[in-house]
Amino acid sequence: MQCDYYDAGACRSCTLMGTPYAGQLADKQTRAARSLEAHVPASAWHAPQANREVGFRNKAKLAVGGRRGAPTVGILDGDGRGVDLRRCGLYEPGLDEAVLALPDLLGEAGLTPYDVPGRQGELKHVLMTRSPDGELMVRLVLRSPGQRRRVLELLPELRSRLPGTRVVSVNLQPEHKAVLEGPDEEVLTAESTLPMRIDDLTLHLRPRSFFQTSTPMAAALYRQARTWIEEASPEVLWDLFCGVGGFALHAAGPGREVLGVEASADAVASARLGAAALTGPGPVRFEVGDATAYLSPSRRPTGEAPPDLVVVNPPRRGIGALAADLEAARVPRVLYSSCNATSLARDLALLPGYRVGRARLFDMFPQTTHAEVLVELERR
């Protein structure tokens, strides 16, 4: 992939820019295998899942700079000034057009970009996500509610200029620090979720929901997990750190009881929407809870046995105290999806009662060193 911004030195976010994609993928596989070689035998690795090297991102996280009437969207430089990257080649078709149209839209609306060095202004970030069906979620991160009225006035034109806009929200981030968003969010549209169709299922994203950066890679990851789950044929499956229910909903099947656990009440509400649309498979339910402690005997109802299979997709820091509970519960099989090989290796070291039977790398982030790894652990 060639990038004018990278060549000009304006943006260095894509650390592998200019490296042929086949080489990127091979290097990622080699690095992952080396990081995990104490726990994952070479024979366990399946061929890595390749991605498109351009146009693969379903979301844009845009820092807003510049001045009122002439905003920039992209990143901030070392001095906190806006660097305009509206023609970045990473965005998938449709999202790229929305990003390209955004600066003029914001400028005409009179929204004042936040000036980091001067600590003045209002609009800090715009976060956009595009669904496979061409719908958009647009979130505007403001320092205070002062320009909420301008955003409301902007809605009709935003929907006209950004076709497919379904959900628009305002997020408040009042602090002067490098934080993408704040704790308060107000949805301004009648629709509050963005449906994400993944193969034969539809997931529902709320403004603060987590979803994988590349929709095709998310679909490939879920399909791989579903295949391994079907081969194991568990009667009871728990999806811990379930988010909006991607793994749990793909694991549903006749005669199988599936439980998803997630700390975010919004994510659980979204997962329940996805479950409500299922027809045919066995029961799928979602609960708000601490996934790291849910397997502890003190949390399970008296006499309830551990599940036959546990799926974990934790944050970058890993599964924490859950490792000890997995060991103690002697769960027969675990699927672990990780975006951080370092924390994955640490967690595998805490699971000596398991062996890794299969592993696969999914290239969620071409042009960078980041990747997702799915491993299947079997009780020794």
Side-chain angles (χ1 to χ4, degrees), residues 64-102:
V64 181
R67 57 181 173 79
R68 182 174 178 178
T72 63
V73 294
I75 60 175
L76 302 180
D77 64 17
D79 297 322
R81 302 296 185 184
V83 178
D84 195 89
L85 304 177
R86 70 184 74 183
R87 296 184 184 276
C88 174
L90 301 186
Y91 305 126
E92 66 179 36
L95 181 59
D96 60 349
E97 297 173 3
V99 172
L100 189 59
L102 184 64

Side-chain angles (χ1 to χ4, degrees), residues 291-319:
T292 63
Y294 209 83
L295 195 59
S296 170
S298 63
R299 297 291 299 273
R300 300 200 305 270
T302 302
E304 182 180 10
D308 304 309
L309 191 151
V310 169
V311 178
V312 292
N313 182 25
R316 289 187 61 83
R317 62 180 177 272
I319 61 176

Side-chain angles (χ1 to χ4, degrees), residues 164-180:
T165 298
R166 176 185 172 95
V167 181
V168 179
S169 69
V170 165
N171 178 278
L172 298 182
Q173 207 300 81
E175 299 185 69
H176 181 77
K177 60 182 182 181
V179 176
L180 192 64

Side-chain angles (χ1 to χ4, degrees), residues 94-349:
L95 181 59
D96 60 349
E97 297 173 3
V99 172
L100 189 59
L102 184 64
D104 289 344
L105 187 60
L106 298 178
E108 293 168 12
L111 291 163
T112 306
Y114 182 67
D115 177 59
V116 173
R119 300 195 177 196
Q120 295 179 343
E122 286 294 329
L123 181 60
K124 293 186 170 184
H125 299 97
V126 177
L127 314 175
M128 295 195 290
T129 303
R130 183 180 184 274
S131 80
D133 294 313
E135 294 185 306
L136 286 172
M137 177 186 292
V138 181
R139 304 171 62 205
L140 290 89
V141 181
L142 303 176
R143 184 179 67 164
S144 73
Q147 290 195 348
R148 177 183 178 278
R149 176 185 59 82
R150 289 188 183 275
V151 177
L152 283 171
E153 293 172 350
L154 176 63
L155 277 181
E157 187 66 15
L158 189 150
R159 283 184 145 158
S160 173
R161 303 266 283 274
L162 303 184
T165 298
R166 176 185 172 95
V167 181
V168 179
S169 69
V170 165
N171 178 278
L172 298 182
Q173 207 300 81
E175 299 185 69
H176 181 77
K177 60 182 182 181
V179 176
L180 192 64
E181 59 190 73
D184 298 321
E185 189 106 19
E186 180 187 5
V187 176
L188 303 179
T189 49
E191 299 291 348
S192 61
T193 68
L194 180 69
M196 297 290 287
R197 183 173 46 81
I198 307 295
D199 293 333
D200 57 341
L201 294 173
T202 298
L203 307 181
H204 294 267
L205 306 188
R206 284 179 162 79
R208 298 174 65 84
S209 296
F210 167 79
F211 187 73
Q212 300 285 2
T213 302
S214 172
T215 304
M217 287 299 98
L221 177 65
Y222 292 142
R223 284 195 298 268
Q224 185 66 82
R226 174 188 273 173
T227 296
W228 291 352
I229 289 167
E230 289 302 319
E231 291 173 1
S233 298
E235 293 183 4
V236 180
L237 178 148
W238 289 5
D239 178 5
L240 305 180
F241 310 96
C242 71
V244 298
F247 285 105
L249 294 171
H250 280 82
R256 180 175 302 144
E257 180 182 333
V258 178
L259 167 66
V261 179
E262 167 62 48
S264 167
D266 279 353
V268 168
S270 293
R272 288 171 177 166
L273 275 179
L278 292 179
T279 57
V284 181
R285 61 189 176 93
F286 294 93
E287 294 185 8
V288 178
D290 179 2
T292 63
Y294 209 83
L295 195 59
S296 170
S298 63
R299 297 291 299 273
R300 300 200 305 270
T302 302
E304 182 180 10
D308 304 309
L309 191 151
V310 169
V311 178
V312 292
N313 182 25
R316 289 187 61 83
R317 62 180 177 272
I319 61 176
L322 178 59
D325 288 336
L326 284 168
E327 276 288 336
R330 301 180 66 84
V331 174
R333 198 174 298 261
V334 178
L335 263 59
Y336 191 140
S337 182
S338 172
C339 62
N340 184 349
T342 301
S343 61
L344 175 58
R346 184 178 63 243
D347 287 342
L348 292 178

